[in-house]
Amino acid sequence: MSSHAEKQSEDIKQMKVVNKEKLTQKSFKANTLDFLIEKMFFVFGSIAVFVLLLLLYFLVREGSSALQEVGILTYLTETRWYPSSPQGAGYGALQFIVGSIMVTIGALVIAIPWGIFTAIFIAEIAPKRVREILKPVVEVLAIFPSVVLGFIALVILSPIVANVFDLSNGRTALTASLILSVMALPTIVSIAEDSLRSVPKDYREAAYALGASRWETIKIVTFPAAKSGILAGVMLGFGRAVGETMTVLMAAGNAISMPMTEFMGITVPNFLASVRTLTANIAIEGSDVSWGSLHYSSLFVLALILFVITFVVNLIADLLISRQRRKLTNE
Amino acid sequence: MSKQMSQRLWFGICGFFASMTIVALLFLLFSIVKEGASVISWSFITEPPRRNMTEGGIWPALVGTFYVASLTVLISVPIGIGAAIYLNEYAKQGPVVRVIRMSIRNLAGVPSIVYGLFGLAIFASTLRLGVGLITAAITLAIMVLPWIITASEEALKAVPNSFREGGLALGATKWQTIRNNVLPSAIPGMATGSILGLARAAGETAPIILTGAAYFSRNLPSSLNDSFMALPYHLYILATQHAQAAAVRPIAYGTALVLIMMVILLNLSAILLRNHYRRKNEMF
Amino acid sequence: MTAFQTAVKENKKKSPVVQENINKEESIFSAKGLNLWYGNDQALKDINLDIRKNGVTAIIGPSGCGKSTFLKTLNRMVELVPIVKTSGAIDYHGVNIFDPSVNLVELRSSVGMVFQKPNPFPKSIFDNVAFGPRVHGVKKKAELKEIVEKSLRGSGLWDEVKDRLGESAMGLSGGQQQRLCIARCLAVEPEVILMDEPTSALDPKSTLKVEELIQELKKDYSIVIVTHNMQQAARISDKTAFFLNGEVVEYDNTDTIFSNPQDKRTEDYITGRFG
């Protein structure tokens, strides 16, 4: 051990002194600077809140003239869309809302069973080696640029759809649903798989101990325990599909009319019709609309409608995920 | 039906759907590669489009995508990392943090076209930046911000607490501890997240339609206010807006293949980077 | 004769001077009516304890008794857990360390800490030891080198690592890592070193080395060590406090605690009847 009689540098001697003054002395480095740095990071941290408020503010501000002059009810209930016609302008956007909902529901009808069964397979059934192939496959699907999927829908899927159903134009709600299901799939699989995995092992072991088979255990124990989380995955998949632009823009045909048909005397959605979604309409008209016009303002109303839909859907998903977490930690 | 039979049946159903996932991916990749591979050549990459885009290559679109994605990352990464540092290192549980986290999750769910319209209203119109590179990049930056924050926070969470304790116990200030002990270990994870953000920005189309992408431009963008060609938008144009759709189809396939390869390569390099540092960290 | 009684005997033989001085000691910390809660769970109850200057004070007790919590209170590291609340006082150089005016950087510079699990930073051996001096403003390379060498000599690690100071500290063995952490702590020139079960993650041979090191260090530093190993407490400490359920049951010279405990619970614990 070195004795402290040795020569010591000034810095070290300075360090060694401990007394009341030093212990209570404010230093720039430890007090002022650290405080300022913390505040700076707080500013960064709150940027998300600021951006969200700004987004909402601008949607409302730019949409306000349309909301005042036309009224939200017209957008939500009418179906005549002639926003830039000098006489007899129409602002009915119901067909876009119906189009969005239709392609989304169509996509989910495919993606829900596909995603949930795949998630069960990955989380509960597949041997490790198969799992290690499936997980990257799902990840690669998740990063596929939407415009490429739209392109494939356009050049490969829509001719097939036209052929099978004997249509002149294969760009339909069905085509869009098919390709959208591929986009919603990774979201559903990864969230559902996470929540299946978060079910504690003892649940399963308890079921095995009672003589349940592996499938019965999944059906009676694991799946119900993970239900909220899986539902959250479905909600997020819904959000992803309803907000998707490029694939539907390229696959759905974009006709501005109500995609309805008579079937045995009742009006039903027609999946073989060409539809235009809220997102597609904003993309088509947004780039040449003249800024400040009522048409421009109307597009912000459509964006607000989209924002509200995704906001609510994400909120529900959020609540479901926190419910799942609570359920599994409290029990 | 016996227990065994029903289990076998259900497992079969699960396996069927799982294998459909692989089939879907292979179908998507195959359909692009089959038609696109023969189109790709050195001149396809390095030449501009010619004869009303029916011949030539994709060079300006490639460069435009590189510009806009890099700018996006330059803007979003510092902010995203800063926000993640606040959330993981400074913030205490409470209403403020709950509101911040809720906002982040909500921003992640906002449709990309809504961001496009927002960017148009605030940056192009209100702030008079016009439509062009910078407007598109800021818009995309806002869009990828939630992902950057989440990825950076994951990276910070993975740093063992003992590094923080060790620094603080030696009398380092909180910031010294973060800078010297926490950030160096978190940087590979943050870099991974940034590359993934870059890939997402590079593949995104909807927001840039409204904020700055050009149908065709002879020159590369020379200032931040110039509009630019971008690969995904170029593909959209070739596929749907071009008068001679059949004539440009091979070029569209080639563009799609380049776009996919770019996105997959970026993701792959992010994963390799992460694994490399994970291994190194275990040793180091 | 039990193992720890033997250990106490040896301790006595080894350092008679310290044993004599123990009654006229000067205290460095003095806890007065200290309470601490984690949320609603009270972890420390009305602790009144003077910790002597120089020498080794051991804190023993069954797990969950609050011994580590008390140790971490001495440099306020316990506050890293956000739900901690405290009341009462700990005097250090005439200052209550909970006083808002206390500069935590100064407090933690003079009250160093060694953790249960060796926690070297993922940097080189040199940079690990130089970390403290650097954050306290030492910049000159020559000066840093001097401090690093002195600190590594102080922790008995110099000869083992002097040729590979630039290599990663993660490549050292567990025992070496712990001595590196001690060197890192010495480099800041603390007055007190807190040790939270410093050998619990080490093999017997490394443990012995660290214990020998503690015997060396106590000549220059005040050491407070938490240990679950009673033989260790008996071997290396001068005073011992026995904690149970967040309270100090007994606090006395180590040999008294181990040979003639006043409290039945202390006796039960040291003879291995519980804990």
Side-chain angles (χ1 to χ4, degrees):
Chain A
M1 186 68 212
S2 59
S3 104
H4 294 293
E6 286 174 18
K7 65 171 166 56
Q8 276 183 348
S9 71
E10 273 309 302
D11 293 315
I12 295 298
K13 274 185 199 154
Q14 225 25 67
M15 263 189 231
K16 265 201 82 69
V17 185
V18 184
N19 55 36
K20 191 171 174 171
E21 283 67 41
K22 204 172 168 193
L23 278 170
T24 54
Q25 179 186 62
K26 293 276 172 238
S27 75
F28 174 73
K29 193 184 72 183
N31 302 94
T32 320
L33 186 64
D34 238 43
F35 177 80
L36 289 176
I37 290 174
E38 174 166 355
K39 288 298 156 231
M40 179 190 84
F41 280 115
F42 174 70
V43 171
F44 278 118
S46 13
I47 275 182
V49 183
F50 176 70
V51 167
L52 187 68
L53 291 176
L54 205 64
L55 179 79
L56 203 56
Y57 169 74
F58 266 88
L59 293 185
V60 170
R61 195 190 80 166
E62 304 289 297
S64 64
S65 67
L67 286 173
Q68 277 162 15
E69 287 183 37
V70 181
I72 185 72
L73 271 183
T74 306
Y75 290 98
L76 293 178
T77 58
E78 291 184 13
T79 57
R80 243 173 51 81
W81 180 256
Y82 295 110
S84 37
S85 145
Q87 308 106 17
Y91 297 96
L94 181 60
Q95 67 280 19
F96 303 143
I97 299 172
V98 170
S100 282
I101 306 270
M102 253 174 74
V103 294
T104 302
I105 301 244
L108 288 184
V109 165
I110 303 164
I112 288 173
W114 189 0
I116 292 179
F117 281 120
T118 303
I120 292 176
F121 190 77
I122 294 177
E124 303 286 325
I125 301 171
K128 194 161 175 275
R129 274 183 45 210
V130 179
R131 192 162 64 225
E132 275 169 7
I133 298 170
L134 277 167
K135 289 198 73 150
V137 164
V138 174
E139 277 163 31
V140 174
L141 276 181
I143 59 164
F144 243 77
S146 56
V147 68
V148 175
L149 290 173
F151 178 63
I152 291 171
L154 180 76
V155 296
I156 295 170
L157 277 185
S158 74
I160 296 175
V161 170
N163 250 328
V164 170
F165 295 96
D166 196 20
L167 305 168
S168 60
N169 179 2
R171 293 194 235 166
T172 63
L174 175 69
T175 322
S177 292
L178 285 171
I179 199 74
L180 265 188
S181 70
V182 177
M183 297 208 71
L185 184 76
T187 312
I188 298 180
V189 172
S190 64
I191 308 260
E193 193 213 329
D194 277 352
S195 53
L196 284 167
R197 261 177 210 293
S198 69
V199 177
K201 267 213 167 67
D202 359 335
Y203 283 36
R204 268 158 254 196
E205 275 156 15
Y208 293 147
L210 293 172
S213 71
R214 275 175 74 201
W215 175 252
E216 283 170 328
T217 306
I218 294 169
K219 196 173 72 178
I220 300 164
V221 179
T222 322
F223 188 80
K227 211 170 54 192
S228 315
I230 293 173
L231 210 54
V234 170
M235 292 315 275
L236 290 175
F238 183 97
R240 176 105 205 254
V242 82
E244 177 47 41
T245 309
M246 294 319 290
T247 44
V248 289
L249 181 62
M250 295 167 85
N254 303 321
I256 315 182
S257 56
M258 276 300 262
M260 294 295 179
T261 186
E262 292 279 317
F263 182 72
M264 302 198 340
I266 14 173
T267 314
V268 290
N270 180 6
F271 273 88
L272 296 178
S274 161
V275 298
R276 187 184 282 201
T277 63
L278 288 165
T279 53
N281 190 59
I282 297 172
I284 291 166
E285 296 177 0
S287 44
D288 351 288
V289 69
S290 71
W291 296 354
S293 66
L294 208 53
H295 184 184
Y296 172 84
S297 182
S298 297
L299 294 182
F300 282 86
V301 176
L302 302 191
L304 259 178
I305 296 171
L306 261 178
F307 182 86
V308 170
I309 295 174
T310 51
F311 183 87
V312 170
V313 164
N314 284 308
L315 202 66
I316 296 173
D318 237 37
L319 293 175
L320 287 169
I321 287 175
S322 54
R323 198 174 85 182
Q324 164 109 23
R325 203 168 293 151
R326 258 202 322 276
K327 206 166 82 182
L328 289 181
T329 45
N330 280 0
E331 276 175 17
Chain B
M1 198 163 29
S2 78
K3 229 175 173 174
Q4 226 75 48
M5 283 284 288
S6 110
Q7 164 150 324
R8 205 170 297 162
L9 175 72
W10 283 105
F11 277 21
I13 292 174
C14 291
F16 167 77
F17 279 106
S19 52
M20 283 310 289
T21 310
I22 301 178
V23 170
L25 178 67
L26 289 179
F27 167 76
L28 294 172
L29 286 175
F30 175 75
S31 49
I32 295 295
V33 172
K34 190 185 79 174
E35 304 283 333
S38 58
V39 181
I40 294 187
S41 64
W42 184 242
S43 63
F44 182 74
I45 303 288
T46 57
E47 283 177 12
R50 279 180 284 114
R51 296 191 179 216
N52 192 20
M53 303 199 257
T54 55
E55 285 176 26
I58 53 168
W59 178 244
L62 204 59
V63 173
T65 287
F66 174 75
Y67 282 172
V68 76
S70 313
L71 265 176
T72 300
V73 165
L74 276 180
I75 298 165
S76 60
V77 165
I79 299 174
I81 290 178
I85 290 176
Y86 175 73
L87 287 171
N88 201 57
E89 305 294 324
Y90 286 102
K92 295 180 183 68
Q93 286 309 317
V96 177
V97 171
R98 266 206 302 282
V99 169
I100 291 177
R101 290 196 188 283
M102 210 190 76
S103 304
I104 292 171
R105 281 194 300 267
N106 260 300
L107 284 178
V110 171
S112 57
I113 191 74
V114 174
Y115 280 115
L117 212 50
F118 169 65
L120 181 72
I122 178 168
F123 306 119
S125 156
T126 306
L127 298 176
R128 301 187 185 290
L129 292 171
V131 288
L133 259 183
I134 190 70
T135 298
I138 302 175
T139 307
L140 286 175
I142 291 176
M143 196 191 82
V144 296
L145 190 62
W147 288 300
I148 304 273
I149 295 176
T150 313
S152 306
E153 224 193 318
E154 293 294 316
L156 289 169
K157 278 206 185 98
V159 177
N161 240 338
S162 64
F163 292 4
R164 295 180 183 90
E165 284 176 349
L168 292 174
L170 289 169
T173 64
K174 185 133 189 172
W175 170 238
Q176 284 173 327
T177 306
I178 293 172
R179 199 190 56 201
N180 296 316
N181 295 5
V182 180
L183 285 183
S185 304
I187 276 174
M190 291 173 167
T192 307
S194 307
I195 296 176
L196 295 178
L198 185 82
R200 212 169 256 280
E204 192 56 63
T205 324
I208 63 172
I209 292 182
L210 302 183
T211 53
Y215 182 86
F216 176 74
S217 121
R218 194 166 304 280
N219 301 314
L220 298 179
S222 59
S223 88
L224 289 177
N225 297 319
D226 283 359
S227 62
F228 57 98
M229 290 182 74
L231 276 183
Y233 187 56
H234 189 58
L235 173 58
Y236 169 67
I237 294 292
L238 293 176
T240 64
Q241 306 292 300
H242 202 280
Q244 297 159 272
V248 295
R249 184 85 357 127
I251 298 185
Y253 270 110
T255 310
L257 183 55
V258 171
L259 188 56
I260 286 187
M261 285 191 338
M262 196 171 76
V263 169
I264 290 181
L265 281 179
L266 280 173
N267 277 274
L268 205 63
S269 58
I271 291 165
L272 290 179
L273 182 81
R274 188 179 58 198
N275 291 348
H276 173 76
Y277 276 95
R278 195 175 284 160
R279 257 202 312 280
K280 202 171 150 194
N281 258 353
E282 272 159 16
M283 269 160 35
F284 208 82
Chain C
M1 197 185 278
T2 61
F4 57 81
Q5 279 166 332
T6 320
V8 171
K9 269 257 166 72
E10 279 170 9
N11 188 357
K12 266 187 189 162
K13 271 185 270 165
K14 251 192 282 176
S15 50
V17 188
V18 176
Q19 292 298 327
E20 269 170 35
N21 284 347
I22 202 148
N23 293 321
K24 42 185 175 175
E25 71 210 20
E26 188 189 338
S27 64
I28 185 139
F29 283 111
S30 94
K32 291 169 186 158
L34 174 69
N35 290 291
L36 184 142
W37 295 264
Y38 290 112
N40 293 322
D41 301 329
Q42 187 162 11
L44 296 176
K45 293 168 196 160
D46 193 29
I47 307 280
N48 292 287
L49 198 66
D50 283 352
I51 288 175
R52 51 165 297 177
K53 193 173 175 134
N54 299 327
V56 178
T57 305
I59 302 177
I60 61 170
S63 36
C65 68
K67 55 189 194 300
S68 279
T69 299
F70 177 71
L71 190 78
K72 285 179 184 157
T73 311
L74 297 176
N75 63 349
R76 287 181 57 184
M77 286 294 283
V78 75
E79 289 166 25
L80 292 190
V81 181
I83 51 170
V84 159
K85 281 175 302 191
T86 53
S87 73
I90 297 179
D91 275 350
Y92 176 58
H93 289 282
V95 183
N96 173 12
I97 62 166
F98 296 118
D99 195 277
S101 68
V102 165
N103 184 332
L104 277 182
V105 165
E106 288 301 334
L107 175 67
R108 288 171 184 164
S109 306
S110 46
V111 184
M113 184 162 213
V114 175
F115 294 83
Q116 186 168 1
K117 211 170 147 258
N119 63 341
F121 304 135
K123 301 173 188 286
S124 70
I125 294 168
F126 185 93
D127 287 343
N128 261 278
V129 183
F131 179 90
R134 275 189 180 130
V135 299
H136 292 109
V138 180
K139 288 195 183 71
K140 276 176 271 169
K141 187 83 184 169
E143 204 176 322
L144 284 172
K145 269 189 181 154
E146 182 194 337
I147 297 172
V148 168
E149 175 171 349
K150 195 157 76 72
S151 308
L152 284 170
R153 282 188 192 282
S155 73
L157 197 59
W158 176 251
D159 290 328
E160 291 161 59
V161 301
K162 63 181 178 211
D163 299 322
R164 46 176 176 141
L165 292 176
E167 284 174 33
S168 165
M170 301 310 215
L172 298 174
S173 72
Q176 288 174 319
Q177 285 187 2
Q178 194 60 300
R179 282 184 288 143
L180 178 73
C181 291
I182 293 173
R184 195 171 69 183
C185 182
L186 299 181
V188 192
E189 289 289 351
E191 181 184 34
V192 184
I193 303 175
L194 309 176
M195 296 185 170
D196 188 2
E197 305 195 16
T199 60
S200 65
L202 305 183
D203 61 78
K205 217 171 148 191
S206 307
T207 299
L208 189 68
K209 273 203 168 147
V210 171
E211 284 182 9
E212 285 168 2
L213 177 57
I214 292 171
Q215 293 299 327
E216 281 295 323
L217 292 174
K218 75 176 188 187
K219 295 173 193 156
D220 296 291
Y221 304 90
S222 311
I223 294 173
V224 188
I225 178 169
V226 163
T227 177
H228 60 256
N229 177 336
M230 281 173 285
Q231 277 96 332
Q232 183 171 64
R235 277 195 300 268
I236 61 172
S237 71
D238 305 306
K239 296 203 81 174
T240 297
F242 172 55
F243 274 57
L244 188 64
N245 298 327
E247 288 172 275
V248 183
V249 172
E250 195 165 350
Y251 178 46
D252 212 324
N253 292 340
T254 298
D255 58 342
T256 315
I257 289 269
F258 283 101
S259 55
N260 188 20
Q262 303 301 302
D263 196 294
K264 180 79 172 53
R265 290 170 292 172
T266 315
E267 193 182 339
D268 285 349
Y269 181 68
I270 60 174
T271 51
R273 248 168 251 156
F274 72 87

